[in-house]
Amino acid sequence: MRTVTLPLLLCWTLAACTPIPPGMVLIPGGPFIMGTDDVDTDHRAVEHGLMKPWFEDEHPARVVTLPPFYIDRYEVTQGEYQTFVRATRRSPPPGWQNTHHPPGLARHPVVSVTWADADAYCRWAGKRLPTEAEWEKTARGFEGRRYPWGDRFEPGRANIGGAKNGPTVVGSYPSGQTPEGVHDLTGNVWEWTADWYAPSAKSEPPSGGQTARALRGSSWSGVGHFAPEILQPILAHNARGSFRLYADPEGRLNDVGFRCVK
């Protein structure tokens, strides 16, 4: 009897021959809708004094194709980062006691880390920071949904808007996870990405130098003191999977953390 050997390519296609790394989720390859063509026709962002016009740095909606990749199911925790600090002797975040994270926060996302800290951790773990495209595909799926859980804004699915006054244990909002099982893409902490921030997909970072790294995901922190009828639309806008923000890569903010991809 002749023995038939399946081509190696088939193994990769079925993702059956390579076990998924612990703590990670497989995001299938293929196209997805990135960005949006929405326009703030009422100029609400300007009216409310927000830091940038709504939607403009997400233009245009376009189809982006990515190969398959793995992404961390949860944001990197204080306990995981503590292991890294002790193994590499890297300086710990502010507020730590030597190499000890604050008591009781082992399962909370690590915060107050610079972009370089996040990048170093991912590389030490055999991974890397996600690109904006990888992060957005994870949050929006191939169909380009508005939020990780669907197209309807439901604030109870995420730690956003200052309701908790700080990060929560990762995975505390299971109803906000993606269909693939990735948690806290909206809320808890902003997440560093691998990319420099550019004002839109059609532009490059400023010619005078690349000065800010792109953040994704919104966070626990509030957005200002607004009446409820104004606050809810702001939160709904910022919680979307295509929403972008930016920060000084050397900054240490108490609502910015990260996750890794492979």
Side-chain angles (χ1 to χ4, degrees):
M1 178 182 296
R2 192 178 73 175
T3 302
V4 177
T5 303
L6 290 177
L8 183 60
L9 178 60
L10 182 58
C11 281
W12 283 105
T13 302
L14 297 178
C17 297
T18 304
I20 296 177
M24 304 193 84
V25 173
L26 173 66
I27 305 300
F32 79 105
I33 301 171
M34 184 172 183
T36 183
D37 289 326
D38 289 348
V39 177
D40 182 12
T41 55
D42 296 328
H43 305 290
R44 288 172 293 176
V46 174
E47 178 184 341
H48 301 326
L50 301 178
M51 64 180 293
K52 62 187 179 74
W54 281 359
F55 307 118
E56 288 188 7
D57 64 355
E58 303 167 30
H59 292 169
R62 65 270 188 201
V63 176
V64 174
T65 300
L66 296 176
F69 59 93
Y70 301 106
I71 190 166
D72 288 345
R73 186 178 298 276
Y74 305 110
E75 293 155 336
V76 173
T77 66
Q78 302 255 17
E80 291 168 332
Y81 197 79
Q82 177 176 282
T83 300
F84 161 69
V85 166
R86 291 177 175 178
T88 63
R89 298 185 179 181
R90 195 172 187 90
S91 296
W96 285 35
Q97 294 297 319
N98 297 318
T99 61
H100 298 274
H101 64 68
L105 299 184
R107 291 292 296 158
H108 287 65
V110 67
V111 294
S112 301
V113 290
T114 66
W115 183 91
D117 290 335
D119 178 66
Y121 173 93
C122 290
R123 293 182 184 279
W124 170 79
K127 308 175 187 179
R128 58 180 174 78
L129 285 171
T131 65
E132 284 197 84
E134 289 169 333
W135 194 100
E136 188 167 330
K137 180 172 185 179
T138 304
R140 303 186 68 194
F142 72 91
E143 73 275 25
R145 59 183 176 261
R146 292 178 68 84
Y147 303 100
W149 55 83
D151 288 327
R152 179 181 174 185
F153 176 61
E154 300 175 73
R157 291 180 182 263
N159 179 16
I160 57 174
K164 294 295 184 181
N165 196 36
T168 53
V169 170
V170 296
S172 293
Y173 292 79
S175 66
Q177 66 182 295
T178 70
E180 295 78 20
V182 183
H183 291 250
D184 300 320
L185 287 167
T186 289
N188 224 15
V189 294
W190 289 102
E191 298 178 17
W192 289 116
T193 70
D195 295 331
W196 292 100
Y197 175 82
S200 78
K202 295 180 178 179
S203 63
E204 296 294 331
S207 59
Q210 297 171 315
T211 59
R213 291 284 184 177
L215 295 172
R216 290 301 193 107
S218 194
S219 80
W220 62 265
S221 60
V223 295
H225 298 286
F226 297 98
E229 65 272 15
I230 298 174
L231 178 62
Q232 286 302 300
I234 294 174
L235 293 179
H237 173 269
N238 292 1
R240 294 172 305 110
S242 59
F243 184 67
R244 306 173 67 220
L245 199 63
Y246 51 87
D248 178 351
E250 296 183 4
R252 295 181 179 274
L253 303 174
N254 67 356
D255 65 344
V256 174
F258 65 99
R259 74 179 76 218
C260 309
V261 300
K262 185 179 177 114

